[in-house]
């Protein structure tokens, strides 16, 4: 079943049975952060696809490049330091990297929008929350101010905040409520693609479930496709159809949720699952993955995970691994010739 | 909020009282005799003593202080100038118009210009625009006001003859004094705007605005600017407050009959009521401006209203 793919990134891994059209296709995306004395390779030849109406999880530890990928798709990388060195981001067939800033402004918040990690800082502290939602609507739709206001009230109520709170300011809301406002802003123009960058990380556990449930309900209602960025495998299991495991700016394993959860093959993915606390092993120590992710400014020659791999081979330190197809939907980037057990 | 303002007004009374005591004591301590100034140099010692008695200057410190405070705060009478024999308040009100005009115009222009320059510098960080703005503002902050005023007079009034060098005849007479007053303020405001703007444009809510599809210009004007204004308002307020006291140097150089030059003359003459009255008016104006700033904070940043209410 294993079939090695030699050219690395032209991947046709998704289920043949999934007939939904591809809405977003990221091909060979490479992003660097340039500072005075070093170049950090944050995203290295990342490719993935997202089908309309589905949810793709990007999972990986902090600093793996997940947020950079998301910001690159939306075109909101900091223009001073970040540099997109190559690749294509095809959204509905057109390359977003080729579009002008003006054209991108029409897409942002309208067809693609994003929910940010920290609701505490994602809202403008001196602007009424209703106006912040209204702003997103007015930018993309020709409405009178009264209509825009009404739509903003509707959005507030849709995310479970009473419309009377339109004129309140962010500091009058709790973290969970703020995240609802952020979600309302993101969904205000019914986007085709929603990028959720760790939408629940900054919230406490009781609120996390509420916010996730709400997001998923709205996603179903609006038919939005979602990229869910998280380091929480539980959230992935609950919400995602497809999963891409990101390590050191690369997709190291990718497949349907079943592929990843039942047949995890890359030693990093295996390590991620092993490091979760288990319900049965009471009192056992957690099994962390030893070591640190390589410095993006100084990437190793071979496999970026070789240093931390429990079973590395000689070639792992010298040659970059290539993608290996384990099934129609499941690929892994590892030198070993894995078989799905 | 109303409670907060009331509290601040009560504080204002305390501050004005304290300022009165301090200025009275200072004038008491410093050398010089108003009676001698009033009577001219050739007056006999008897005449001087008689006048000192009449003015109550021979009484002990405490008696004089209490009399002054009672007069000022219970009878609301600041007194009559020794020099001109006119009520001090009338004299100050005759002059405060000039000072107010210069202070308002120069603060207004400095605000508009300073904020504009600061925003341009911040949004073009490390470009030539930014570097020029930084260099110019550093130069203007460091430059002594009197030197700049003299340069203006020598170039625009004396050499080119475009504008009058001194006095107040028409609106043209205000131009040079206003420019001398506003240069330092503009530079200060620009520097403050730049640094606080640089802090704001890195905030997450700016990325949120960008993700909505907002244009760069609107992100700056609608989002970043308002949030970066708090420290700038503080600078503007203290600039205006200082100038209300009359920019002494500028008023002297341009011979403007404002509050600043009135105070200068009064101090030289040991005209106690005029000095005290002037300082009191300035202290009240300054405190009022500071209170106004606190109120403006709430208009700009709603979080302040809650902070005030919790106090």
């Amino acid at each position: 079943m294993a079939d090695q793919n030699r050219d690395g990134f032209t991947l046709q891994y998704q289920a043949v049975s999934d007939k939904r059209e591809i809405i977003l296709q990221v091909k060979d995306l490479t992003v660097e952060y340039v500072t005075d004395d070093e170049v950090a390779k944050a995203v290295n030849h990342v490719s993935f696809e997202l089908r309309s109406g589905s949810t793709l999880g990007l999972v990986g530890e902090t600093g793996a490049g997940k947020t950079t990928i998301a910001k690159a798709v939306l075109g909101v990388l900091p223009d001073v330091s970040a540099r997109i060195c190559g690749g294509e981001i095809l959204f509905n067939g057109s390359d977003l990297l080729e579009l002008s800033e003006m054209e991108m402004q029409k897409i942002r918040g309208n067809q693609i929008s994003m929910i940010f990690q920290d609701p505490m800082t994602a809202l403008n502290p001196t602007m009424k929350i209703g106006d912040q939602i209204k702003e997103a609507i007015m930018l993309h739709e020709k409405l009178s101010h009264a209509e825009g206001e009404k739509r903003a009230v509707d959005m507030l109520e849709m995310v479970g905040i009473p419309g009377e709170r339109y004129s309140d300011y962010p500091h009058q809301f709790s973290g969970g409520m703020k995240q609802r406002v952020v979600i309302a802003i993101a969904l205000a123009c019914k986007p085709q693609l929603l990028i959720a960058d760790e939408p629940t990380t900054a919230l406490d556990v009781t609120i996390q479930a509420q916010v996730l449930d709400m997001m998923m309900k709205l996603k179903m209602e609006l038919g939005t496709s979602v990229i869910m960025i998280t380091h929480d495998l539980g959230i992935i299991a609950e919400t995602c159809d497809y999963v891409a495991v990101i390590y050191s700016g690369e997709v190291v394993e990718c497949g349907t949720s079943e592929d990843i959860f039942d047949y995890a093959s890359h030693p990093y993915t295996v390590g991620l699952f092993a490091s979760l606390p288990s319900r049965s092993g009471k009192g056992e120590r957690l099994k962390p993955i030893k070591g640190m992710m390589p410095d993006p400014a100084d990437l190793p020659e071979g496999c970026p995970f070789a240093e931390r791999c429990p079973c590395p081979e000689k070639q792992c330190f010298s040659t970059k691994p290539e993608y290996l197809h384990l099934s129609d939907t499941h690929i892994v980037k590892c030198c070993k010739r894995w078989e799905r057990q | 909020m109303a409670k907060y303002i009331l509290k601040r007004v009560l504080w204002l009374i305390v501050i004005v009282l304290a300022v009165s005591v301090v200025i009275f004591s200072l004038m008491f301590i410093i050398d010089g005799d108003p009676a001698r100034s009033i009577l001219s140099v050739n007056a006999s010692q008897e005449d001087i003593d008689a006048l000192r008695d009449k003015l109550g200057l021979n009484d002990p410190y405490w008696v004089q202080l209490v009399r002054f405070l009672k007069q000022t705060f219970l009878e609301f009478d600041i007194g009559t100038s020794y020099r001109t024999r006119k009520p001090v308040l009338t004299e100050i009100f005759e002059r405060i118009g000039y000072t107010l005009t210069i202070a308002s115009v120069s603060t207004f222009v400095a605000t508009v210009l300073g904020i504009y320059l600061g925003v341009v510098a911040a949004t073009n960080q490390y470009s030539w625009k930014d570097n020029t703005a930084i260099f110019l503002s550093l130069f203007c902050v460091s430059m002594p006001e009197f030197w700049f005023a003299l340069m203006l007079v020598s170039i625009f009034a004396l050499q080119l003859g475009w504008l009058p060098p001194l006095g107040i005849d028409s609106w043209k007479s205000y131009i040079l004094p206003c420019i001398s007053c506003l240069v330092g303020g503009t530079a200060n405001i620009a520097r403050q705007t730049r640094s606080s703007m640089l802090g704001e444009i890195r905030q997450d809510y700016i990325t949120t605005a960008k993700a909505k599809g907002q244009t760069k210009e609107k992100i700056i004007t609608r989002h970043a600017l308002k949030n970066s204004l708090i420290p700038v308002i503080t600078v503007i307020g203290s600039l205006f407050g200082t100038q209300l006291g009359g920019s002494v140097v500028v008023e002297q150089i341009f011979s403007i009959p404002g509050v600043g030059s009135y105070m200068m003359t009064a101090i030289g003459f040991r005209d106690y009521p005029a000095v005290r009255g002037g300082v009191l008016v300035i202290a009240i104006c300054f405190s009022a401006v500071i209170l106004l700033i606190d109120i403006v904070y709430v208009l700009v940043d709603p979080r302040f209203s809650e902070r005030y209410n919790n106090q």
Side-chain angles (χ1 to χ4, degrees):
Chain A
M1 205 172 187
D3 162 35
Q4 205 157 9
N5 182 313
R6 280 288 157 198
D7 59 324
F9 56 84
T10 48
L11 301 163
Q12 293 299 321
Y13 56 82
Q14 284 190 349
V16 185
S17 60
D18 197 339
K19 290 280 184 273
R20 294 179 287 190
E21 63 182 301
I22 293 172
I23 181 170
L24 178 79
Q25 194 172 17
V26 173
K27 284 187 191 170
D28 203 23
L29 179 69
T30 303
V31 184
E32 292 175 350
Y33 287 105
V34 187
T35 57
D36 286 343
D37 31 52
E38 58 181 26
V39 176
K41 295 185 167 164
V43 175
N44 304 303
H45 307 289
V46 161
S47 303
F48 60 83
E49 293 170 356
L50 179 68
R51 284 177 191 267
S52 167
S54 67
T55 303
L56 168 72
L58 296 185
V59 66
E61 62 195 279
T62 308
K66 304 178 302 264
T67 303
T68 307
I69 295 172
K71 286 189 171 171
V73 171
L74 197 60
V76 293
L77 287 167
D79 16 302
V80 193
S81 55
R83 195 170 66 193
I84 297 178
C85 311
E88 288 173 45
I89 300 173
L90 300 171
F91 178 68
N92 287 333
S94 60
D95 189 354
L96 297 182
L97 298 179
E98 301 283 310
L99 296 184
S100 71
E101 178 59 24
M102 280 271 283
E103 289 165 314
M104 271 314 279
Q105 278 165 9
K106 286 193 188 118
I107 290 179
R108 276 186 216 128
N110 190 19
Q111 287 156 292
I112 307 179
S113 58
M114 185 158 169
I115 297 172
F116 293 93
Q117 185 169 354
D118 189 355
M120 307 315 265
T121 56
L123 294 172
N124 182 343
T126 60
M127 198 171 181
K128 290 173 185 166
I129 53 128
D131 286 341
Q132 302 196 37
I133 302 172
K134 184 177 144 198
E135 183 186 22
I137 299 167
M138 300 299 279
L139 275 169
H140 301 292
E141 286 171 44
K142 286 207 159 41
L143 295 175
S144 71
H145 280 277
E147 286 167 326
E149 213 154 285
K150 196 181 165 298
R151 278 277 302 278
V153 170
D154 291 345
M155 283 313 295
L156 272 179
E157 284 175 350
M158 191 165 138
V159 295
I161 295 172
E164 304 93 80
R165 302 205 60 181
Y166 183 97
S167 303
D168 284 358
Y169 290 92
H171 70 275
Q172 291 162 304
F173 287 78
S174 67
M177 297 280 266
K178 276 186 213 170
Q179 193 62 308
R180 283 163 188 264
V181 175
V182 173
I183 292 170
I185 292 173
L187 295 177
C189 294
K190 304 192 171 52
Q192 293 173 283
L193 170 61
L194 174 68
I195 304 171
D197 184 6
E198 310 214 15
T200 57
T201 306
L203 305 176
D204 60 71
V205 193
T206 48
I207 309 295
Q208 280 187 6
Q210 274 182 27
V211 168
L212 271 183
D213 285 350
M214 194 194 71
M215 272 183 60
M216 286 302 128
K217 204 184 105 228
L218 295 174
K219 167 201 140 81
M220 296 302 283
E221 274 171 28
L222 305 174
T224 310
S225 322
V226 177
I227 295 179
M228 175 73 74
I229 297 173
T230 182
H231 54 244
D232 187 334
L233 290 163
I235 292 177
I236 295 280
E238 221 169 283
T239 58
C240 297
D241 309 320
Y242 298 96
V243 182
V245 181
I246 314 279
Y247 182 79
S248 188
E250 293 177 30
V251 176
V252 293
E253 187 166 7
C254 188
T256 63
S257 294
E258 293 78 40
D259 290 334
I260 303 296
F261 279 85
D262 299 340
Y263 306 101
S265 299
H266 195 282
Y268 177 64
T269 319
V270 175
L272 276 184
F273 283 109
S275 62
L276 287 177
S278 77
R279 222 180 286 179
S280 54
K282 232 182 190 171
E284 268 178 45
R285 285 197 162 273
L286 295 178
K287 298 187 193 68
I289 305 174
K290 288 195 178 69
M292 301 273 285
M293 211 165 52
D295 178 0
D298 184 23
L299 290 177
E301 199 184 322
C303 172
F305 190 63
E307 285 289 336
R308 302 168 77 182
C309 187
C311 46
E313 285 172 10
K314 217 173 165 188
Q315 54 163 337
C316 293
F317 294 95
S318 54
T319 44
K320 286 249 181 258
E322 278 160 16
Y323 283 111
L324 190 69
H325 282 240
L326 298 179
S327 77
D328 285 345
T329 55
H330 192 183
I331 55 159
V332 63
K333 199 179 202 179
C334 183
C335 293
K336 293 201 171 183
R337 295 186 141 262
W338 296 98
E339 296 270 343
R340 264 168 70 148
Q341 297 96 7
Chain B
M1 187 66 201
K3 213 172 128 196
Y4 176 79
I5 294 176
L6 185 74
K7 208 165 126 189
R8 288 293 304 265
V9 171
L10 291 177
W11 263 111
L12 196 147
I13 297 172
V14 177
I15 289 167
V16 170
L17 214 77
V19 167
S20 314
V21 174
V22 170
I23 191 65
F24 177 86
S25 311
L26 277 178
M27 292 309 287
F28 187 86
I29 294 165
I30 57 169
D31 220 14
D33 186 354
R36 197 175 291 278
S37 310
I38 295 167
L39 290 175
S40 87
V41 199
N42 304 326
S44 68
Q45 192 58 44
E46 288 80 50
D47 287 349
I48 288 172
D49 284 342
L51 186 59
R52 282 184 66 88
D53 256 349
K54 200 180 140 210
L55 295 174
L57 294 174
N58 287 332
D59 295 335
Y61 171 74
W62 290 111
V63 177
Q64 288 193 47
L65 177 64
V66 170
R67 185 168 55 218
F68 160 66
L69 291 178
K70 203 178 107 197
Q71 251 181 21
T72 316
F73 292 100
L74 296 180
E75 294 157 23
F76 302 107
D77 176 19
I78 292 179
T80 320
S81 162
Y82 292 162
R83 191 167 57 91
T84 57
R85 295 174 205 282
K86 280 194 222 160
V88 172
L89 221 49
T90 324
E91 288 209 303
I92 289 176
F93 282 131
E94 274 166 16
R95 292 153 176 273
I96 205 161
Y98 299 110
T99 307
L100 260 178
T101 310
I102 293 175
S104 317
V105 171
S106 59
T107 309
F108 178 76
V109 177
T111 303
V112 174
L113 217 61
I115 290 180
Y116 178 76
L117 286 176
V119 169
V120 169
T123 48
N124 297 286
Q125 201 188 3
Y126 304 134
S127 69
W128 67 268
K129 286 181 190 166
D130 185 30
N131 291 333
T132 318
I134 292 177
F135 175 79
L136 268 180
S137 57
L138 191 66
F139 178 75
C140 293
V141 166
S142 334
M143 182 179 54
E145 210 175 30
F146 76 90
W147 177 81
F148 187 68
L150 289 174
M151 284 295 128
L152 285 180
V153 171
S154 109
I155 295 170
F156 292 100
L158 302 182
Q159 284 182 25
L160 297 171
W162 291 351
L163 296 162
L166 23 104
I168 294 281
D169 306 317
S170 68
W171 61 271
K172 277 186 185 169
S173 314
Y174 282 109
I175 296 177
L176 290 183
C178 283
I179 293 177
S180 341
C181 282
L182 69 83
V183 181
T186 308
N188 260 327
I189 293 170
R191 287 159 61 84
Q192 187 62 61
T193 307
R194 177 181 179 272
S195 69
S196 106
M197 184 67 123
L198 281 177
E200 290 303 323
I201 53 180
R202 288 186 174 74
Q203 297 288 321
D204 288 348
Y205 67 81
I206 298 296
T207 320
T208 306
K210 210 173 161 192
K212 284 179 195 173
Q214 190 55 281
T215 60
K216 271 187 184 147
E217 295 72 29
K218 284 250 176 82
I219 289 175
I220 297 297
T221 51
R222 288 195 64 174
H223 293 276
L225 186 58
K226 198 173 173 198
N227 281 291
S228 52
L229 277 185
I230 290 290
V232 180
I233 289 169
T234 315
V235 175
I236 296 170
S238 56
L239 178 75
F240 186 59
T242 318
Q243 304 222 324
L244 268 188
S247 179
V248 176
V249 176
V250 170
E251 284 186 8
Q252 287 288 313
I253 289 175
F254 292 97
S255 304
I256 293 163
V259 177
S261 58
Y262 178 68
M263 296 270 295
M264 275 299 281
T265 325
I267 292 170
F269 199 83
R270 300 291 181 269
D271 190 349
Y272 292 168
V275 176
R276 291 175 203 148
V279 170
L280 268 185
V281 170
I282 290 166
I284 291 172
C285 290
F286 202 102
S287 309
V289 170
I290 302 285
L291 178 61
L292 199 70
I293 293 172
D294 281 343
I295 296 170
V296 173
Y297 282 163
V298 179
L299 298 180
V300 173
D301 191 336
R303 283 170 295 182
F304 274 87
S305 137
E306 224 138 280
R307 210 174 296 172
Y308 290 165
N309 289 337
N310 293 338
Q311 275 176 10

